[in-house]
Amino acid sequence: MIKCLAIDDEPLALQQLAAYIQKVPYLELAAQCQSALEARQFLEQDTVDAIFCDINMPDLNGMDFVKSLQAPPLVVFTTAYAEYAVEGFKVNAVDYLLKPFGLQDFQRAASRLKERLEGQAATPQQPTPNSQAEDTIFVKTEYRIVKVSIADIRYIEGMSEYLKIYLDSEAKPIITLLSMKKMEERLPANFMRIHRSYIVNLDKIQEVNKNRVIMDADIYLPIGDIYKEAFQSYLDAKFLGK
């Protein structure tokens, strides 16, 4: 069982959070606190494996509370304000739930929590203060803001105002409200736009066949006319042979 502490200054939000914890079989609700100061007092007397913590609270906000803990448990932040997401991941938060969130979103966060704890038990790691390097991005999907490893991205598909981000590690793509241009600007040099609807990780291309790139046996992506010259220049630089 994963022993959890629920923290939120809004009684109804705290009640819902506690109810969600009790609905997940491998979570155990240790206590409910309506302030970070109350939570600190609890943790002076007891320990937990994880905390579900609101950020905007009076006296001491959730972010500063977590930073103040010498040996903080795993953290899932819950808040209505998306602008705290990047700062939340800097304190190594497991997940970040944007209010209002439902049981399904909570269960996904709980699953990530379970995976993190199991991973720590299998391979204990030393803390790495500089782990938030330029190898990750953060994107909003549904009610969550998730961290994505750039190296894990295979390709990106544009759909009007949305993007589908296909990863090696996930069976389903992440869907986010974002423009292709903004994504292009953020990605490193090993990514290239080959079509108005596709950006590919050049390191993951398996084959180039006429006017398309082949990512694997099932994924064929077209090369758009206005992108052919730049893509051909990339191939010429890498090509060995006559």
Side-chain angles (χ1 to χ4, degrees):
M1 295 289 286
I2 301 173
K3 193 175 177 182
C4 302
L5 176 63
I7 311 168
D8 200 306
D9 66 307
E10 299 176 5
L12 289 178
L14 182 60
Q15 183 180 354
Q16 182 187 58
L17 187 57
Y20 283 168
I21 291 173
Q22 292 169 329
K23 287 180 183 293
V24 178
Y26 52 83
L27 299 184
E28 175 190 349
L29 180 62
Q32 305 175 46
C33 298
Q34 284 192 253
S35 73
L37 296 178
E38 183 183 344
R40 179 181 284 171
Q41 290 176 351
F42 174 83
L43 291 175
E44 288 174 355
Q45 305 297 324
D46 206 341
T47 60
V48 295
D49 301 306
I51 60 177
F52 291 85
C53 185
D54 187 26
I55 292 180
N56 286 293
M57 295 186 289
D59 299 323
L60 179 64
N61 72 45
M63 193 73 66
D64 291 338
F65 164 66
V66 171
K67 290 178 180 178
S68 73
L69 298 176
Q70 290 187 346
L74 294 182
V75 180
V76 174
F77 283 117
T78 65
T79 185
Y81 299 92
E83 59 265 27
Y84 289 108
V86 173
E87 188 179 356
F89 281 111
K90 284 182 179 178
V91 297
N92 205 26
V94 174
D95 212 339
Y96 186 101
L97 289 167
L98 284 175
K99 297 178 180 178
F101 55 86
L103 178 59
Q104 188 174 7
D105 301 300
F106 180 86
Q107 287 174 325
R108 280 197 295 265
S111 178
R112 289 169 64 91
L113 189 66
K114 184 171 181 283
E115 289 172 3
R116 178 78 69 87
L117 278 171
E118 289 173 346
Q120 287 182 351
T123 55
Q125 297 178 344
Q126 295 298 318
T128 53
N130 297 321
S131 62
Q132 292 298 325
E134 289 299 311
D135 58 354
T136 57
I137 56 176
F138 299 89
V139 295
K140 181 180 178 182
T141 177
E142 297 177 335
Y143 293 110
R144 305 166 59 231
I145 291 182
V146 298
K147 181 172 65 174
V148 176
S149 168
I150 290 176
D152 194 28
I153 299 174
R154 299 181 67 207
Y155 67 96
I156 298 160
E157 179 182 2
M159 307 182 304
S160 186
E161 298 177 342
Y162 290 83
L163 298 181
K164 282 185 176 181
I165 304 173
Y166 292 84
L167 306 175
D168 283 333
S169 61
E170 300 287 343
K172 294 182 178 179
I174 293 172
I175 300 176
T176 185
L177 179 62
L178 196 64
S179 69
M180 290 286 276
K181 185 177 185 299
K182 191 167 185 179
M183 179 61 81
E184 269 190 290
E185 291 171 351
R186 180 60 184 82
L187 293 172
N190 60 311
F191 283 81
M192 180 178 288
R193 191 166 182 175
I194 62 166
H195 187 274
R196 63 184 179 85
S197 298
Y198 293 103
I199 298 172
V200 298
N201 185 337
L202 297 169
D203 297 335
K204 299 183 185 292
I205 294 175
Q206 293 189 5
E207 186 177 333
V208 179
N209 188 333
K210 295 182 179 178
N211 291 326
R212 60 186 181 178
V213 299
I214 301 173
M215 307 303 289
D216 57 39
D218 300 317
I219 306 299
Y220 295 73
L221 304 179
I223 303 170
D225 290 341
I226 65 173
Y227 302 96
K228 283 181 182 178
E229 184 176 350
F231 186 69
Q232 188 60 50
S233 296
Y234 163 76
L235 289 180
D236 291 343
K238 297 288 185 179
F239 187 73
L240 293 179
K242 297 181 179 179

